């Protein structure tokens, strides 16, 4: 059993308060991701878990042991970084086996563990090469195998895929998740890429300016953002300012562009005239059939063919830009002329409503 608990962590750099009372529990074998914009404090937290930073206050527990001030080498953690950090003068085999050698594991057993890992990370035939003879993706595979070789209590990953191209990032994030699950290792993963976080994690912790904003499964974070910040950070969205127009049944709102929309919200605290913000996902909208309700009208500004869908950019009546990913009738819509009048359907359940940055339901 390996459970990591961060309890009321504060990190100060001189008088700059980088982490402000952060709490998180990462359960045994769980992959937990710290997700947030650049500078929000992800690396500071990861370094505190690794032992490179001692928090200004708060405690870190590994199982029931307080490790807050334990030196990094005594924590039994493996780490992979954005820049791979391999030993350039050592072969793949020697890099992966390094931690085992330090721990005085015999040559034969070492070889067996290393070769098993070489196979798992799909580097068979590359074990005698040196890091400079490998691609970025292969180097990160070596780093992963090296981190796992010592059977770490926790695997820490600091933006490990940031230097790789898109296709490889997608491939490797699946591999990292699969291999971590095979090893049953508990993982703390840092990224600013929301798609990567959703794909790789069991739990996502969203951080803004050193504060935990929301934590939960990828599905719960995506489907139930509690704040405008989370909704905007996770998913590709349109944000629209609106005013409450009717609260007698389901909440009705009037947009700056003049249209009125019915939402799914039944919150009775909202009164007509109150300002709210609507968030809609590009992927949950479509051009409207003639008879549809809840429509938004505008002029087509740009169409981009994206493969599985066409991304349409529309200028609304208040000149705001609005984006829709069209997934049906691609041929028909691809031929629309720029400037044509189009209607977009906004289903009531495809809208999040926020008041003062907090979600209302
Ligand atoms: P990125 O995604 O850009 O790596 P991050 O979320 O990992 O960012 P941190 O590197 O943890 O953020 O930094 C959090 C804040 O603390 C930033 O404002 C950063 O400038 C500041 N900071 C980090 N390390 C130090 C330091 N050693 N001294 C002073 N300020 C620091």
């Amino acid at each position: 059993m390996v459970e990591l608990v961060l309890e009321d962590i504060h990190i100060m750099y001189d008088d700059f308060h980088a982490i402000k009372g952060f709490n998180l529990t990462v359960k045994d074998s769980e992959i937990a991701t710290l997700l947030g914009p650049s500078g929000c404090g992800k690396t500071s937290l990861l370094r505190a878990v690794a032992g490179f930073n001692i928090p200004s206050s708060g405690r870190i527990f590994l199982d029931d042991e307080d490790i807050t001030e334990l030196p990094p080498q005594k924590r039994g953690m493996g780490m992979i970084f954005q820049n791979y950090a391999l030993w350039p003068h050592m072969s793949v085999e020697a890099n992966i086996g390094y931690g085992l050698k330090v721990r005085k594991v015999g040559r034969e057993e070492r070889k067996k563990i290393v070769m098993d890992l070489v196979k798992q990370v799909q580097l068979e035939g590359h074990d005698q090469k040196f890091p400079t003879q490998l691609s970025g993706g292969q180097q990160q595979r070596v780093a992963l195998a090296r981190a796992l070789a010592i059977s770490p209590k926790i695997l820490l990953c600091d933006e490990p895929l940031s230097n790789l191209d898109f296709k490889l990032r997608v491939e490797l994030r699946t591999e990292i998740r699969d291999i971590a699950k095979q090893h049953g290792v508990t993982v703390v993963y840092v990224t600013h890429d929301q798609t990567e976080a959703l794909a790789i994690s069991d739990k996502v912790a969203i951080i803004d300016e050193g504060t935990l904003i929301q934590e939960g499964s990828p599905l719960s974070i995506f489907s139930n953002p509690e704040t405008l910040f989370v909704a905007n950070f996770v998913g590709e969205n349109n944000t629209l300012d609106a005013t409450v127009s009717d609260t007698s049944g389901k909440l009705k709102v009037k947009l700056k562009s003049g249209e009125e929309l019915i939402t799914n919200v039944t919150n009775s605290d909202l009164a007509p005239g109150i300002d709210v913000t609507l968030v809609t996902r590009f992927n949950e909208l479509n051009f409207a059939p003639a008879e549809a309700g809840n429509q938004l009208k505008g002029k087509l500004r740009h169409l981009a063919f994206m493969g599985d869908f066409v991304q349409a950019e529309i200028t609304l009546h208040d000149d705001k830009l609005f984006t829709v990913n069209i997934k049906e009738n691609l041929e028909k819509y691809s031929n629309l002329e720029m400037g044509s009048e189009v209607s977009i359907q906004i289903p009531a359940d495809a809208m999040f409503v926020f008041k003062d940055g907090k979600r209302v339901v």
Side-chain angles (χ1 to χ4, degrees):
M1 239 278 290
V2 180
E3 186 173 87
L4 177 74
V5 177
L6 304 186
E7 204 177 271
D8 197 22
I9 302 294
H10 289 260
I11 297 177
M12 304 286 302
Y13 296 111
D14 299 321
D15 56 358
F16 177 65
H17 204 160
I19 300 294
K20 301 162 186 153
F22 188 89
N23 293 288
L24 186 72
T25 297
V26 185
K27 295 202 192 108
D28 189 38
S29 305
E30 193 169 55
I31 302 179
T33 294
L34 308 178
L35 174 68
S38 179
C40 72
K42 307 177 293 289
T43 303
S44 299
L45 281 166
L46 198 74
R47 286 173 60 81
V49 175
F52 301 130
N53 266 355
I54 308 292
S56 317
S57 67
R59 308 310 301 169
I60 302 176
F61 297 94
L62 191 53
D63 296 328
D64 287 330
E65 187 190 1
D66 184 339
I67 60 161
T68 318
E69 277 155 40
L70 199 67
Q73 67 278 13
K74 295 205 170 151
R75 296 190 181 202
M77 296 185 184
M79 193 149 181
I80 58 176
F81 305 89
Q82 180 173 344
N83 63 3
Y84 323 130
L86 299 176
W87 306 112
H89 59 289
M90 287 186 196
S91 67
V92 167
E93 181 183 349
N95 261 289
I96 299 175
Y98 179 78
L100 298 170
K101 196 169 175 186
V102 171
R103 284 166 179 74
K104 309 246 184 298
V105 175
R107 183 185 295 261
E108 232 167 79
E109 194 188 342
R110 204 163 71 220
K111 179 109 188 162
K112 186 181 171 306
I113 296 172
V114 170
M115 285 309 163
D116 271 357
L117 282 162
V118 163
K119 200 167 160 196
Q120 283 176 40
V121 298
Q122 300 180 45
L123 285 175
E124 283 160 305
H126 298 284
D127 49 291
Q128 295 313 312
K129 287 187 179 166
F130 288 85
T132 50
Q133 296 172 299
L134 301 173
S135 68
Q138 289 169 330
Q139 289 185 59
Q140 197 54 285
R141 289 187 158 98
V142 177
L144 175 64
R146 182 180 63 178
L148 290 172
I150 56 164
S151 302
K153 287 190 183 150
I154 308 245
L155 175 66
L156 304 176
C157 306
D158 192 1
E159 305 249 10
L161 307 181
S162 298
N163 284 354
L164 304 173
D165 68 42
F166 176 73
K167 202 157 172 262
L168 202 53
R169 284 207 305 273
V170 171
E171 206 178 295
L172 261 180
R173 74 186 184 212
T174 309
E175 282 180 37
I176 292 178
R177 183 175 165 88
D178 288 352
I179 292 172
K181 290 294 169 197
Q182 276 165 31
H183 283 251
V185 65
T186 306
V187 179
V188 183
Y189 193 99
V190 160
T191 183
H192 61 270
D193 180 337
Q194 47 104 3
T195 317
E196 191 173 307
L198 297 181
I200 206 163
S201 317
D202 299 310
K203 177 189 279 172
V204 179
I206 302 209
I207 306 168
D208 185 30
E209 295 185 357
T211 303
L212 177 68
I213 303 293
Q214 189 174 346
E215 68 166 281
S217 68
L219 180 64
S220 74
I221 293 275
F222 189 80
S223 335
N224 280 309
E226 289 164 6
T227 62
L228 185 57
F229 176 84
V230 173
N232 274 332
F233 199 73
V234 180
E236 286 189 306
N237 303 311
N238 297 290
T239 304
L240 297 170
D241 292 327
T243 307
V244 173
S245 53
D246 185 354
T247 55
S248 53
K250 296 241 162 144
L251 189 80
K252 277 191 195 158
V253 294
K254 190 159 186 191
L255 299 176
K256 288 244 161 77
S257 53
E259 287 99 338
E260 198 167 56
L261 299 175
I262 302 176
T263 72
N264 248 352
V265 170
T266 48
N267 188 300
S268 53
D269 294 344
L270 295 172
I274 283 181
D275 288 336
V276 291
T277 308
L278 303 184
V279 170
T280 61
R281 298 235 155 94
F282 297 177
N283 263 332
E284 291 174 3
L285 308 171
N286 234 320
F287 282 167
E291 73 281 6
N294 258 22
Q295 289 189 26
L296 204 54
K297 291 192 191 317
K299 281 194 167 42
L300 188 62
R301 180 178 182 271
H302 185 76
L303 277 179
F305 180 64
M306 309 292 280
D308 292 342
F309 61 93
V310 170
Q311 188 161 82
E313 209 172 74
I314 293 130
T315 309
L316 302 181
H317 288 165
D318 60 350
D319 284 338
K320 193 171 165 49
L321 289 182
F322 194 86
T323 306
V324 181
N325 289 344
I326 309 287
K327 291 165 286 300
E328 288 159 14
N329 298 321
L330 296 193
E331 202 135 320
K332 173 176 157 195
Y333 292 127
S334 299
N335 292 326
L336 280 176
E337 283 194 23
M338 295 310 116
S340 322
E341 272 283 339
V342 290
S343 302
I344 307 142
Q345 190 181 14
I346 318 243
D349 59 3
M351 261 181 278
F352 295 123
V353 182
F354 298 89
K355 179 178 173 288
D356 299 329
K358 296 225 163 52
R359 171 105 176 268
V360 285
V361 290

